[in-house]
Structure formats: C-alpha cells, structure tokens
Amino acid sequence: YENGVASRLLFVNYVQPTVANANDFIVTFAVGGGQTGLPAVTPATVKVKYLRADSINSKDNITWAGQTFGAQFQSDGRLQGDLDIVTIQCNPADGTCSVPVPGPSVALVFLTDAAVASSGADITQVEPFTTTVTTGKSFPTMNQEELMRSNGRSGKDPLGTTSKDSAVNSAARNAVSSGWIMGVSLFASFALAKLLL
C-alpha cells in the first residue's frame, strides 16, 4: 500500500521444473470486492516485472525485467539489455486479474501507474558519477584458486575468518567445542556402561 492505496503484489515460485513449464502457475487475485466488504478496485490492467533464472541455484544469467547485470566477473553494476515490463489485461466481468508465475521466478505486480513510475522503470539515461570511467570496457577476473580460499577458508584452518582478532576467537571456539564434544562423549559412555551393567 502507498498512501492507503494498494500498489504492488509480489508472487514467488521456487519450484524448479524438471520439464519445461511443468511448474508454472497462475495467480488470480482481486483488489477489494467479494467478501472483503471493501469496494472492488481491481485495475483494468497490471504491469509485471519478472526476476528470472534458469535454476534457483543460478549465479549468473539472471534477468530483472529482461535486463541483466552482465556475465560473471564482468559487471559494471549497471543493467544491460532492453527493459521488458509485461502488461496483463484483467477481467472486468468478475473483477479479477490473472498473473502467470513461471518456475522459478519472482513476479512483481504493479497495480498503479504511479507504482511503476516510482520503480525507476522510465529511467533510460545512466547518470555518470565523478568516479565513472568511460574510456573502455573492463573485464576483471579472479584467480579461481584464490576465490576458493577467500574469507580465511584455507584447508588448515576451516573455522578461520577475516574478522579482527579472528585467531583469538577461533581458538576460543575450538576449545569450547572440543570440551563440549568430550563432555557429551563421556556422558554417553557412562550411560552406555550403566545400561550394560
């Protein structure tokens, strides 16, 4: 709601289809009317932005309203591609609206033109900042071996971190967890011995 008026709905479909379109569903809704005791205010049309990916585990090739931030390790933080906001006609006869939600995806439904306008949908010119460099494209890369060991996760210290005083905190955690495990093991041994005797 914005200023007391319904403005957006969000529908999520987490289901990963094994067969194309097998887990798509359609959400049918009405704004007011029926048994709500409120006036029916379902719009004649709604606009929808979809967050889409090939899988719920996807790390790249994710689109927001048809646009993407680019390939992995090649993003400059700006959306690329053509904006695709889907317009859906609602049913005036029964005051409902049906929105398809493919699996997996998220559908952000805009009930008013003001809601679409405030989402930044009409921004076409990217605003440059004083730190913006436009002399060429940059494609940063990262050594995959370094990435696997990042955030203090080396094979020698599985509980390591990059936090301040992490060595002290890690040692304390190891001591506490070792003591706890030893105590549970002793208790279990005594309980088992008592049962056997």
Side-chain angles (χ1 to χ4, degrees), residues 76-79 122-134:
D76 63 1
R78 294 182 290 181
L79 287 168
D122 57 347
I123 297 174
T124 56
Q125 179 64 35
V126 177
E127 182 178 336
F129 299 96
T130 57
T131 57
T132 302
V133 177
T134 58

Side-chain angles (χ1 to χ4, degrees), residues 158-159 169-187:
L159 294 176
N169 294 334
S170 179
R173 276 194 311 273
N174 288 340
V176 169
S177 62
S178 297
W180 185 82
I181 291 170
M182 186 174 285
V184 169
S185 298
L186 284 173
F187 176 76

Side-chain angles (χ1 to χ4, degrees), residues 152 157 159-174:
D157 182 17
L159 294 176
T161 70
T162 55
S163 304
K164 184 178 177 184
D165 299 326
S166 63
V168 174
N169 294 334
S170 179
R173 276 194 311 273
N174 288 340

Side-chain angles (χ1 to χ4, degrees), residues 29 40 42-45 88-98:
F29 66 90
T42 303
T45 62
I88 295 175
Q89 297 293 323
C90 297
N91 185 349
D94 64 1
T96 63
C97 201
S98 298

Side-chain angles (χ1 to χ4, degrees), residues 4 9 11 13 24 34 48 56 70 78 87 104-105 107 110 117 122-123 135 139-140 143 154 174 186-187:
L9 297 170
F11 303 119
N13 185 351
D24 296 359
V48 184
I56 57 173
R78 294 182 290 181
T87 301
S105 72
F110 297 94
D122 57 347
I123 297 174
T135 57
F139 298 103
N143 182 318
S154 69
N174 288 340
L186 284 173
F187 176 76

